[in-house]
Amino acid sequence: MSLSALWVFAAWVTVRDGVNLLFVNTLDSVVGPSDPLLVELQAERRMTVTMLASGRLQPAELKAQRARTDKERAVVIEKALSGSVRRAGTDEMDERLDTMVELLRELDRDRRAVDAGAVNRGEAIDAYSDVIESIFHMYEATTSLDDHEFTQDLRGQILTNRTWELLSKEDATIAGVLASGQVGPADQAEIAQIIGARRLNFERALVDLETSDAQAWREMRANPHLRAVRGQEDALLMGPRKGYRPRIGAQEWQAAAQPALATMRQTIQDAGDRLVDRATPIAAGVVLRLALAGGLGLLAVIASIIVSITTARALVRQLERLRNAALELAEQRLPGVVERLGHGEKVDVAAEAPPLQFGSDEIGQVGRAFNVVQETAIRTAVEQAELRRGIRDVLLSLARRTQTLVHRQLTMLDTMERRRDIETKELEELFRLDHLATRMRRNAENLIVLSGALPARGWRNPVPMVDVVRAAVGEVEDYTRVTVLPFGPIGLAGRAVGDVTHLLAELIENAVSFSPPDTVVQVGGHLVGNGFAIDIEDRGLGMTDEKLTEINQRIADPPDFNLQSSVQLGLFVVSKLAERYGLQVMLKRSAYGGTTAVVVIPSELIVEQPDDRRVPAQRPAAKGAVTTPNGLEVRQPAGVAAATAAPAAPAAGPALVAVP
C-alpha cells in the first residue's frame, strides 16, 4: 500500500497537466457554441439600439434576429448545465456559468421592456452588454492551467477577443446616435468615452499578442478596415457639424465598422485554432512523462501485489479457517448447545467440539489453543446446565415433599377444628397452626414455581373472585390489616384459581410488610375493557420512579432464575405466575403516598356468575362459630358457644369464606 501511494503521487504529478488540458477540452464544449452566440447578441444589440434611436420599429427583422439568437442561446444553456462541464469546472467556473445562464434567461425580460418602450438606447446597450460580459467572464475561468506559458497565451487571446466586443459595442452606440440624426453633448461624451476605451484595450491586447501569436499581431496591425474605422472615429471626435448634425452618416459608419468586425473575428478565430494546435504537443509530452514515470512505478506495484498474493495465500487461508471456526462457535454451535441444554437434552462435548487442524507454525499453535478454548467453553456450558437442572430438581423435590406434609397437616387441623368437644382456647391455637401451615404451603409452592413445575392445587369449576381474594388474604401473616372491598358477581376459571391466589398473596404480603403496622391494606376489584382488575393499595412510604420502572420491567420480562435472584424472590414468583396465564401486573404510586399493585386478569379467565352466588365482603361469624384465618367457619358445641361471650381474637379480622 505504501508503494502504491508513492506511485499514485508520482503519477498524479505527471498527469495533472494532462487532466487540466482534458478539462479545457471538456469546457470547450460550452466555449465553442458561445462564439456564434456572441455574434448574434451583438447583431441584436445593434438592431435594437438603431430601432430605438430612429423610432422606426421593424418587428419582422427584429423577430428574425431574436430567433437566431434564441437558437444559439439554447445550445449554450444546454451545454453549460451538462454534467460533464460541471465536473470539469472549478467552483469559480460553476458560479460564472450560473451567472451567464441566469442573464441569458433574463434576456426575454429585457426584450419585453424594449418592445414596451420602457428603456432608452443606453439601457438597452447595457442590458445586452451585461449578457456578453458574462460570457467573457466564463472565458477567463478557463485559464487556470498549470502550464504558465500556455495560460498566458490564452489570456492574451481572451483580451484580444474583448477588443472585438468593444468595437461591436462602439458600433451599436454610434449607430444608435447616427440613427437619431443629431449628436448632443451627452452623445458626444459617450462616443468619446467608448472610443477611448476601445483604443486603450486594443493597444494593450496587441502587446500581449505580439509575444504569443505574431501572425495575429501582424494581421491586426495591417488590417485596413481597422484603419478606416479609426478615421471615422476621428471624424466623430471632432464634434458635430452645424450644431447637432454628425459629420458622418450611418451608412458611412456601417460601411467601415462591419468589415472591421468581420476581419477581427476571423483573425481571432485563426489565432484560437493555432492555440489549440499548440496544446496537442503539450498533451503528448504529458502522456510520455506519465508512461515513463507512472508506467515503471505501476510495474513495481503489480510485482509487489503478485509477490504478496503468492507468499501470503497460505497464511490467509489458515487465518480464514481460524476466523470461521471462531465465528461458528460464537454464533452457531455454542448458542445451539446452550439452547439444547435449556430444553433438557444431553450433549456430547467431544462431538460438539471436534479439534481443528491448523498446521505446526505459529497460526497452528493459536489454532490448538482455540481447540482447547472451545472444548472448555462447551464443557462449562454443559456443567452449568447440569448444575441448574440439579438445583431445580432439588427445589422441586423439597417443595413436593414439603407440600405433601403441609397438605396432610392442614387436613388433620381441619379435622381437629371440626370436633364438637374441643375447647375454645385449643380451637384458637389450632386456628393459628392452620394459618402457619397455609403460609408454609405457599412458600413450598414458591419452590415449585422456581423449578418450573405446576403446583398440585387445582379446581374444576369456577370460583367466585371474592373467595379467591379472601383465600389469598388468609395466606398472609398480618391478615387482620387487610380490608377486602365488595366484589361483583365475578368468578375465576378453576384452572387458574391456585396460581392467582398465590400471586395475590405474594403482592398482599408485600403491601403489608412494607407499610406501617397501624395502617391498612385495601383490596378491591372492578371490570375493565380487557378483563378484571384487582387493586392492592398500601399506605407505606412508596418507592422512587426509577425503582418502580425497574420492578415493572422485571415483572413484564422475567429473567431466568439463578441463585442471585433470591433477594426479590416474591417478585420473581409473581412474574412467572403472571407469564403463565397472561396476567398484567404493574406497580404505581398510590394517592396516599404508598404503592398500588394492579393485577389485570384477562377476559378468558373471567366467568360471570348469578347474583345469588355473590358473597358480602365482610360479615360477622355465625353464632356459635369461629372463623379461621384461611376463611373456614367452624361451629362450636352448644356448651362452648354459650360459655364464650365473644369470638376468639383471630376472629376480629375479616371473615373469609373457604375455597372449594
Side-chain angles (χ1 to χ4, degrees), residues 479-555:
Y479 65 90
T480 58
R481 291 172 48 201
V482 180
T483 300
V484 180
L485 301 177
F487 281 72
I490 299 299
L492 180 65
R495 61 186 176 89
V497 168
D499 289 336
V500 172
T501 302
H502 190 167
L503 182 145
L504 294 176
E506 292 289 342
L507 294 175
I508 294 172
E509 186 172 48
N510 280 346
V512 172
S513 302
F514 293 101
S515 58
D518 57 342
T519 61
V520 297
V521 174
Q522 290 185 346
V523 182
H526 53 276
L527 286 171
V528 293
N530 56 345
F532 190 82
I534 299 177
D535 300 330
I536 303 171
E537 184 178 46
D538 63 45
R539 307 294 175 88
L541 299 178
M543 290 182 286
T544 62
D545 294 337
E546 293 78 7
K547 191 64 176 178
L548 285 173
T549 302
E550 177 187 352
I551 292 178
N552 287 327
Q553 180 64 29
R554 184 183 295 271
I555 294 175

Side-chain angles (χ1 to χ4, degrees), residues 423-498:
E423 299 293 336
T424 303
K425 185 66 174 179
E426 294 176 354
L427 182 60
E428 178 183 347
E429 292 176 352
L430 287 175
F431 289 162
R432 291 180 179 177
L433 288 176
D434 188 289
H435 187 209
L436 291 175
T438 303
R439 291 166 56 200
M440 290 173 60
R441 179 180 61 188
R442 179 164 57 86
N443 291 333
E445 289 181 352
N446 283 346
L447 297 178
I448 297 176
V449 173
L450 296 180
S451 65
L454 295 175
R457 289 193 295 167
W459 280 256
R460 288 188 301 271
N461 300 322
V463 176
M465 190 66 71
V466 65
D467 293 345
V468 175
V469 175
R470 286 172 175 170
V473 174
E475 297 183 4
V476 177
E477 178 180 4
D478 203 358
Y479 65 90
T480 58
R481 291 172 48 201
V482 180
T483 300
V484 180
L485 301 177
F487 281 72
I490 299 299
L492 180 65
R495 61 186 176 89
V497 168

